Amino acid sequence: MAKVVTRPQRFTPEEWKLASKVKHKNTERDRATAERLILECDRLDQEGRGTVDRTLADVNKKLDQRLDHIKNWKGELEVKRSELAKEIDATESYLVRIEKRLQSLQDNLHITQTTLANREKRYDIDLVHDDVQKDLIMEISAIQGAIALLSRTIEQTKEQLR
């Protein structure tokens, strides 16, 4: 069922003054609470700003330190890169020298083998197995050993360069 709306009752001036005082006290209490809340918010704001400023300063300091470290590392890497480039150039020069020595040894081997072959073509009494022939055979063996050693050295140098 529907309720009947009744008019509010009338108050006496004393009741009105009392209600007004209660509202005034409640308003004052609310205002004081609001002021305390504003002061607390301001304090927290200042505290937060201080924390942010300290954190920002710390982060900036750490970033500057990190940047200095990176610059130092970059400098060290550039020095190492320069040293490595010099070493590579020296190794390439060394490789060219070894290849020239190998070619020279192969030429010497060819000459020694030709000399030995010419000695083998001699006839009858001139076909002698003397000290010179022994030395030629030893020289061929030594040259072949040196050629093998230089060939291995060339391969190792190429692998090192790679």
Side-chain angles (χ1 to χ4, degrees):
M1 267 204 211
K3 286 188 175 185
V4 177
V5 176
T6 60
R7 286 186 58 137
Q9 64 177 342
R10 299 232 178 211
F11 297 101
T12 65
E14 294 300 319
E15 291 173 335
W16 179 84
K17 283 181 184 176
L18 181 63
S20 180
K21 281 183 182 179
V22 169
K23 283 183 183 180
H24 180 50
K25 284 183 181 182
N26 286 341
T27 303
E28 281 297 315
R29 189 185 69 231
D30 289 346
R31 184 189 58 77
T33 303
E35 285 178 357
R36 281 193 310 271
L37 186 60
I38 288 171
L39 290 174
E40 179 69 14
C41 287
D42 287 344
R43 185 187 65 78
L44 289 174
D45 180 50
Q46 290 300 321
E47 185 179 307
R49 287 178 192 269
T51 302
V52 167
D53 290 343
R54 283 189 305 274
T55 304
L56 181 62
D58 187 43
V59 166
N60 285 338
K61 179 182 171 186
K62 287 180 181 179
L63 282 174
D64 288 341
Q65 289 174 345
R66 185 72 173 164
L67 186 60
D68 288 342
H69 287 145
I70 289 171
K71 285 179 182 177
N72 288 338
W73 292 338
K74 181 182 177 187
E76 289 177 16
L77 285 174
E78 286 174 353
V79 167
K80 293 293 181 187
R81 184 176 170 260
S82 173
E83 290 173 358
L84 188 59
K86 288 178 184 176
E87 187 174 333
I88 287 172
D89 290 343
T91 304
E92 287 173 344
S93 169
Y94 177 69
L95 180 63
V96 169
R97 289 176 49 202
I98 293 173
E99 288 171 341
K100 286 180 181 178
R101 298 302 181 265
L102 179 62
Q103 184 59 44
S104 174
L105 281 175
Q106 288 172 341
D107 292 345
N108 287 344
L109 179 63
H110 177 70
I111 291 169
T112 307
Q113 286 175 335
T114 302
T115 303
L116 188 60
N118 287 339
R119 287 183 61 90
E120 293 294 327
K121 292 179 185 175
R122 291 184 176 177
Y123 297 102
D124 299 327
I125 194 74
D126 289 334
L127 188 58
V128 178
H129 190 70
D130 57 359
D131 289 338
V132 174
Q133 187 158 354
K134 290 177 186 175
D135 289 343
L136 285 173
I137 292 170
M138 283 180 22
E139 187 173 340
I140 288 172
S141 175
I143 291 173
Q144 286 173 338
I147 287 173
L149 178 64
L150 285 181
S151 295
R152 281 194 310 270
T153 304
I154 287 172
E155 290 304 314
Q156 289 172 350
T157 305
K158 286 180 179 179
E159 180 62 30
Q160 186 178 7
L161 283 173
R162 200 170 340 157

